[in-house]
RNA sequence: GGCCCCAUCGUCUAGAGGCCUAGGACAUCGGAUUUUCAGUCCGAGAACAGGGGUUCGACUCCCCUUGGGGUCACCA
C-alpha cells in the first residue's frame, strides 16, 4: 500500500513531459517550472571513446535541460577505473565540445556539488550506507558466495524466483561483532520490502511497476568497501538534485531498485525517461562496440567502414579499426558537421511532427520535448545521416567550405608543394583561396563531408604521378583504337585555345567533334581519363580550366607517351 | 526460464476513435536536365504482425497469441 505514496501524490511532478498524463491546460514547461528547475545529467565512464548511442542519450539530456532553461551536468562514473582516467576521458570531452554540448556543472567546470567524479564521492556513499544501516533499511550480510550460488541453483531447480536468504538478519549484535572482528567478509544489502510493489510513471514509457516480492536484496557496498553503481547513482542523483533521469532503456529494470533506494533515503525520486536504444542497421540488437567484426559485415555500416579504410590512412589516422562508426570521433575525423550529426541523432527516437526533418541546434532546443520521444528502438541509418549531413553542408558558404577542407588537404599532404619553404599554415592562405574556391564550386554537392575533398586529389598531384583507374583506362583508351589519335589532335587543338576558359573550351571541343564527325563521348571520355584518371567527376570544362592549359597539355602528352605507337 | 519493455512502408517516423484512399523523409526504381558522376525537378512501388473483443465506427482502446528486445552480479 506504501507504494501508493510514490504515485498519485507525485504524479504531476513525476510525469512532466509525459503525454499520457499531460494536462493540455497546463503547458509542460510551466509544469516543470512550477516544481523546480530542471537538472539533467549524463554520467559517462572513462572508456577512452565516445559511443554514438551514448552521445544520443547525452544529447537528449542536454536538449531537455536547454529547452527548459535548466542545467546540464556531467558526472564521471569512474568507480571501477584505476588510472589514466584523464586520458580515457579526453575523447569524451572532445566529442561533447565538437558537438557543442556544453555542461553547466562537472569536470573542468566545477559547480555547487563538486566533486563530479564518483571516485571522489565515497564519503557520501558511506554516509548513506550508514544511515540505511542505522534505520534498519539495509543489513550486513555475511553469506558466502558459495552459499549464494547454492541458493540460486536451488531456486532454479525448484523453478521459483531466487530471493536473498537473509540468514544474516537473524544474527545477534554479539555474533555480528564476532564475525567482524574475525575478519569475516560481508556486504551491505538493501532490505527489500517484499510485501509490495514499486512503480514509476516514466516520461516515455508510462506507468511501469514491479513486484518487490520477486527481487533479491541488492548489494550496496562490496566486501572491499567499494560501492555498487545502482547505489552510487541514486546517492549522486539525489545529492545533485537531478530532476530528470534520461537514460537508455536498458536501465529500466534497474529503476525498481533505485526507486526503493530513493524511498529508503527519504528522497523523492526524479522523473525517469527511458529512451529506446539505437540498434545496428537492419538489426534489432543494440548497437555496441562489441563484435566490431560483425558490425563491419553489416551491410548498413559497410560503406562507413570502407570509407574509413580509404580516408583515414591518408590522414595518418589509422583505419576503420582505430576509428569505427560507433565512435563519435569517426564522424569528426571524417569531416562531418556537428549540425549533421546532431540532426541525425535527434531524429532517432524523436520527431516533431509528420514532416519536419531538418533541425538546427537551436531548432532542437526550441522544439525538443520528452513527450515526443517514442518507445520502440531505432536502427542507425548511415544513409539518412549522410543526407542530413549533405543538407547542412549545402548551407555552408564557400569560405566555410574552404576552411573545413583545408585541414584535410593539409593532413593528406596534398598542399605541401604550395609551401616549398616550410610550414603549412593553419588556414588556407588568401592567395590560394581563389583557386580552391573554384575547385570547390566545380566539385559542388559532391562534397558531402569534408574528407570528400580527398577525392579531388588528382588536381593536386604531379602530372606524371596521376593514377589511372584500371577499368576505365582499359575500356576507353586501350580498347578504343581511335583514342590515341583523337588525343593527339586534341592536344594540338587545346594548345591553340585562347582564352583558356570554359565557354571557349566548350565551343572548341564541340567544333572539334563536329568537324571530325565523331561522337561527343569518343572525345570526352579519353580526355577525362587523361586529365583525372577517371571517367566520373566534375564538369569537364571546369576541370580543364582548374588544371590550366599547361597542366592539361602535360597530362595529355604524358598519357599519349604511354600508348603503343 | 522469471520479470520488464516494444510492434505502421526496407529504414526513421506522422497518427491522441471518424480528418486515413494511412502522410512525410531516407533508400530503391523510372523519367527529365546534362559531357560522366553528384545534384536538382517530376513520378512510381512500398506498411498498420495475427486473432478476439469494446464501439455506429479502430492504425488508434482492452485481452490473448506471435515475434523482437532488455534485464536478471560483490559490472557500469
Amino acid at each position: 500500500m506504501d507504494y501508493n505514496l510514490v504515485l498519485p501524490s507525485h504524479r504531476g511532478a513525476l510525469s512532466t513531459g509525459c503525454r499520457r498524463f499531460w494536462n493540455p491546460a497546463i503547458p509542460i514547461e510551466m509544469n516543470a517550472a512550477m516544481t523546480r528547475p530542471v537538472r539533467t545529467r549524463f554520467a559517462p565512464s572513462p572508456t577512452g571513446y565516445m559511443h554514438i548511442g551514448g552521445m544520443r542519450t547525452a544529447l537528449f539530456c542536454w536538449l531537455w535541460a536547454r529547452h527548459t532553461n535548466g542545467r546540464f551536468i556531467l558526472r564521471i562514473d569512474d568507480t571501477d577505473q584505476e588510472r589514466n582516467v584523464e586520458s580515457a576521458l579526453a575523447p569524451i570531452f572532445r566529442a561533447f565540445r565538437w558537438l557543442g554540448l556544453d555542461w553547466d556543472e562537472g569536470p573542468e567546470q566545477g559547480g555547487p556539488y563538486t566533486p563530479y567524479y564518483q571516485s571522489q564521492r565515497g564519503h557520501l556513499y558511506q554516509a548513506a550506507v550508514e544511515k540505511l544501516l542505522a534505520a534498519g533499511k539495509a543489513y550486513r550480510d555475511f553469506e558466502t558466495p558459495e552459499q549464494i550460488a547454492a541458493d540460486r541453483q536451488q531456486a532454479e531447480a525448484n523453478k521459483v524466483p531466487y530471493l536473498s536468504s537473509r540468514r544474516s538478519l537473524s544474527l545477534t549484535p554479539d555474533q555480528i561483532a564476532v564475525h567482524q572482528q574475525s575478519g569475516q567478509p560481508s556486504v551491505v544489502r538493501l532490505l527489500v520490502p517484499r510485501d509490495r510493489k514499486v512503480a514509476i510513471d516514466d516520461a516515455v514509457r508510462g506507468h511501469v511497476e514491479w513486484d518487490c516480492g520477486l527481487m533479491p536484496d541488492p548489494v550496496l557496498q562490496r566486501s572491499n568497501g567499494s560501492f555498487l553503481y545502482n547505489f552510487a547513482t541514486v546517492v549522486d542523483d539525489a545529492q545533485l538534485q537531478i530532476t530528470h533521469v534520461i537514460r537508455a532503456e536498458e536501465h529500466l529494470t534497474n529503476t525498481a531498485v533505485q526507486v526503493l533506494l530513493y524511498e529508503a533515503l527519504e528522497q523523492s525520486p526524479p522523473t525517469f525517461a527511458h529512451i529506446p536504444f539505437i540498434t545496428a542497421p537492419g538489426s534489432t540488437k543494440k548497437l555496441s562496440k562489441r563484435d566490431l567484426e560483425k558490425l563491419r559485415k553489416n551491410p548498413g555500416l559497410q560503406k562507413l567502414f570502407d570509407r574509413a579504410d580509404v580516408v583515414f590512412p591518408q590522414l595518418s589516422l589509422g583505419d576503420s579499426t582505430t576509428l569505427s562508426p560507433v565512435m563519435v570521433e569517426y564522424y569528426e575525423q571524417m569531416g562531418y558537421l556537428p549540425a549533421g550529426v546532431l540532426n541525425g541523432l535527434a531524429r532517432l527516437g524523436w520527431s516533431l511532427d509528420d514532416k519536419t526533418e531538418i533541425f538546427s541546434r537551436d531548432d532542437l532546443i526550441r522544439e525538443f520535448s520528452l513527450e515526443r520521444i517514442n518507445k520502440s528502438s531505432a536502427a542507425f541509418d548511415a544513409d539518412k545521416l549522410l543526407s542530413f549531413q549533405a543538407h547542412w553542408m549545402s548551407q555552408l558558404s564557400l569560405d566555410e567550405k574552404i576552411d573545413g577542407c583545408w585541414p584535410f588537404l593539409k593532413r593528406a599532404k596534398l598542399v605541401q608543394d604550395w609551401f616549398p619553404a616550410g610550414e603549412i599554415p593553419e588556414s588556407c592562405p588568401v592567395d590560394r583561396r581563389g583557386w580552391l574556391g573554384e575547385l570547390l564550386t566545380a566539385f559542388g554537392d559532391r562534397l558531402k563531408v569534408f574528407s570528400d575533398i580527398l577525392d579531388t586529389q588528382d588536381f593536386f598531384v604531379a602530372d606524371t604521378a596521376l593514377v589511372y583507374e584500371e577499368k576505365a583506362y582499359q575500356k576507353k583508351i586501350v580498347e578504343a583504337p581511335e583514342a590515341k589519335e583523337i588525343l593527339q589532335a586534341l592536344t594540338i587543338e587545346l594548345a591553340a585555345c585562347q582564352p583558356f576558359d570554359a565557354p571557349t573550351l566548350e565551343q572548341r571541343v564541340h567544333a572539334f567533334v563536329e568537324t571530325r564527325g565523331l561522337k561527343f563521348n569518343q572525345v570526352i571520355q579519353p580526355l577525362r581519363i587523361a586529365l583525372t584518371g577517371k571517367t566520373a567527376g566534375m564538369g569537364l570544362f571546369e576541370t580543364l580550366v582548374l588544371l590550366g592549359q599547361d597542366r592539361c597539355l602535360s597530362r595529355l602528352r604524358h598519357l599519349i607517351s604511354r600508348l603503343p605507337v
Side-chain angles (χ1 to χ4, degrees), chain A residues 3-250:
Chain A
Y3 67 90
N4 281 331
L5 289 176
V6 210
L7 293 178
S9 58
H10 287 160
R11 181 166 281 190
L14 281 174
S15 59
T16 299
C18 174
R19 77 171 89 173
R20 276 155 222 86
F21 308 108
W22 176 41
N23 176 357
I26 307 169
I28 292 162
E29 290 77 6
M30 187 76 87
N31 211 345
M34 278 180 341
T35 51
R36 44 184 174 151
V38 167
R39 293 172 60 82
T40 64
R41 51 67 167 176
F42 183 72
S45 301
T47 49
Y49 69 98
M50 188 63 214
H51 191 273
I52 191 78
M55 201 74 239
R56 193 276 229 119
T57 304
L59 173 62
F60 282 18
C61 293
W62 181 84
L63 283 173
W64 184 238
R66 292 289 169 264
H67 174 74
T68 56
N69 247 303
R71 284 166 86 78
F72 174 63
I73 294 130
L74 213 51
R75 184 180 72 219
I76 308 304
D77 263 6
D78 57 348
T79 43
D80 73 338
Q81 296 288 318
E82 315 82 46
R83 68 226 119 211
N84 279 334
V85 169
E86 285 311 310
S87 64
L89 237 30
I92 293 168
F93 295 155
R94 180 189 175 120
F96 273 80
R97 295 214 170 86
W98 178 58
L99 290 177
L101 305 194
D102 51 335
W103 55 99
D104 305 304
E105 295 171 30
E108 303 178 2
Q109 194 65 231
Y113 301 97
T114 194
Y116 290 87
Y117 288 81
Q118 285 194 325
S119 59
Q120 295 165 29
R121 297 171 62 83
H123 57 287
L124 292 167
Y125 314 140
Q126 188 61 47
V129 152
E130 277 159 22
K131 181 178 166 184
L132 258 25
L133 244 17
K137 290 173 178 170
Y139 64 99
R140 199 161 277 290
D141 185 15
F142 294 92
E143 203 92 322
T144 63
E146 293 73 33
Q147 278 176 301
I148 292 171
D151 286 351
R152 271 224 156 77
Q153 276 191 339
Q154 185 70 248
E156 203 169 313
N158 297 343
K159 296 194 170 174
V160 295
Y162 165 79
L163 288 178
S164 308
S165 76
R166 294 183 174 175
R167 277 182 282 254
S168 297
L169 228 38
S170 50
L171 260 28
T172 65
D174 286 347
Q175 288 174 302
I176 291 176
V178 170
H179 275 321
Q180 285 193 288
Q181 255 157 36
S182 67
Q184 175 93 242
S186 68
V187 298
V188 176
R189 288 183 191 274
L190 177 73
L191 190 61
V192 170
R194 289 182 181 163
D195 56 347
R196 61 169 182 104
K197 295 181 173 181
V198 238
I200 56 165
D201 282 319
D202 193 280
V204 345
R205 256 138 246 284
H207 187 83
V208 183
E209 63 178 30
W210 297 266
D211 185 350
C212 297
L214 266 21
M215 293 160 57
D217 297 335
V219 173
L220 273 23
Q221 185 172 27
R222 298 186 185 93
S223 52
N224 69 5
S226 64
F227 301 91
L228 278 296
Y229 163 82
N230 249 352
F231 180 60
T233 304
V234 169
V235 173
D236 286 338
D237 286 340
Q239 200 254 352
L240 295 177
Q241 302 286 312
I242 301 303
T243 59
H244 298 258
V245 170
I246 301 168
R247 48 155 56 150
E249 189 190 342
E250 52 193 301

Side-chain angles (χ1 to χ4, degrees), chain A residues 472-493:
Chain A
Y473 187 81
Q474 276 299 323
K475 197 165 171 200
K476 305 290 181 186
I477 306 288
V478 178
E479 290 166 21
E482 77 284 7
K484 183 175 183 179
E485 204 198 316
I486 290 174
L487 288 175
Q488 278 170 329
L490 203 52
T491 308
I492 295 166
E493 188 73 23

Side-chain angles (χ1 to χ4, degrees), chain A residues 299-541:
Chain A
L301 248 27
Q302 202 151 23
K303 272 185 256 175
L304 298 188
F305 276 102
D306 291 349
R307 193 62 187 160
D309 288 331
V310 170
V311 169
F312 292 150
Q314 296 184 59
L315 303 173
S316 316
L317 284 173
D319 55 22
S320 63
T321 345
T322 21
L323 285 177
S324 88
V326 302
M327 305 179 191
V328 176
E329 197 177 348
Y330 170 99
Y331 302 92
E332 182 192 354
Q333 301 289 12
M334 195 57 95
Y336 281 71
L337 258 6
V341 174
L342 247 20
N343 201 154
L345 250 26
R347 283 289 289 101
L348 247 30
W350 177 85
S351 66
L352 176 65
D353 55 27
D354 59 341
K355 29 182 78 77
T356 319
E357 294 285 342
I358 299 297
F359 296 91
S360 69
R361 214 180 71 130
D362 287 346
D363 292 338
L364 288 172
I365 291 174
R366 181 162 19 86
E367 307 288 6
F368 184 79
S369 71
L370 260 26
E371 76 179 42
R372 293 206 57 92
I373 296 175
N374 70 337
K375 303 194 217 190
S376 44
S377 57
F380 180 79
D381 185 341
D383 284 329
K384 190 140 186 176
L385 174 62
L386 191 61
S387 88
F388 285 123
Q389 165 62 27
H391 172 265
W392 288 105
M393 183 62 88
S394 77
Q395 301 300 106
L396 257 39
S397 70
L398 191 54
D399 269 317
E400 288 169 315
K401 285 186 187 174
I402 292 172
D403 291 333
C405 289
W406 184 256
F408 290 87
L409 293 171
K410 191 179 159 177
R411 281 199 89 138
K413 301 185 166 49
L414 292 176
V415 289
Q416 246 165 357
D417 294 348
W418 295 3
F419 308 94
E423 234 13 45
I424 302 172
E426 278 308 305
S427 62
C428 180
V430 184
D431 62 321
R432 294 288 184 172
R433 295 186 88 90
W435 185 81
L436 207 50
E438 280 172 42
L439 175 73
L440 245 16
T441 303
F443 198 48
D445 295 318
R446 294 169 190 84
L447 186 86
K448 293 186 167 133
V449 300
F450 287 129
S451 62
D452 288 340
I453 195 65
L454 301 180
D455 292 347
T456 67
Q457 58 186 282
D458 306 322
F459 287 86
F460 296 86
V461 300
D463 298 334
T464 49
L466 192 65
V467 178
Y468 303 103
E469 205 177 82
E470 189 52 41
K471 254 196 202 157
Y473 187 81
Q474 276 299 323
K475 197 165 171 200
K476 305 290 181 186
I477 306 288
V478 178
E479 290 166 21
E482 77 284 7
K484 183 175 183 179
E485 204 198 316
I486 290 174
L487 288 175
Q488 278 170 329
L490 203 52
T491 308
I492 295 166
E493 188 73 23
L494 293 179
C497 183
Q498 280 306 335
F500 203 76
D501 60 24
T504 313
L505 283 162
E506 182 157 8
Q507 198 201 327
R508 289 291 276 257
V509 172
H510 274 288
F512 176 88
V513 167
E514 259 173 57
T515 52
R516 299 190 158 238
L518 296 164
K519 280 183 200 151
F520 203 51
N521 272 343
Q522 281 179 291
V523 177
I524 291 294
Q525 299 291 16
L527 179 56
R528 259 185 196 291
I529 290 169
L531 298 177
T532 64
K534 304 183 182 81
T535 50
M538 54 186 79
L540 180 66
F541 302 106

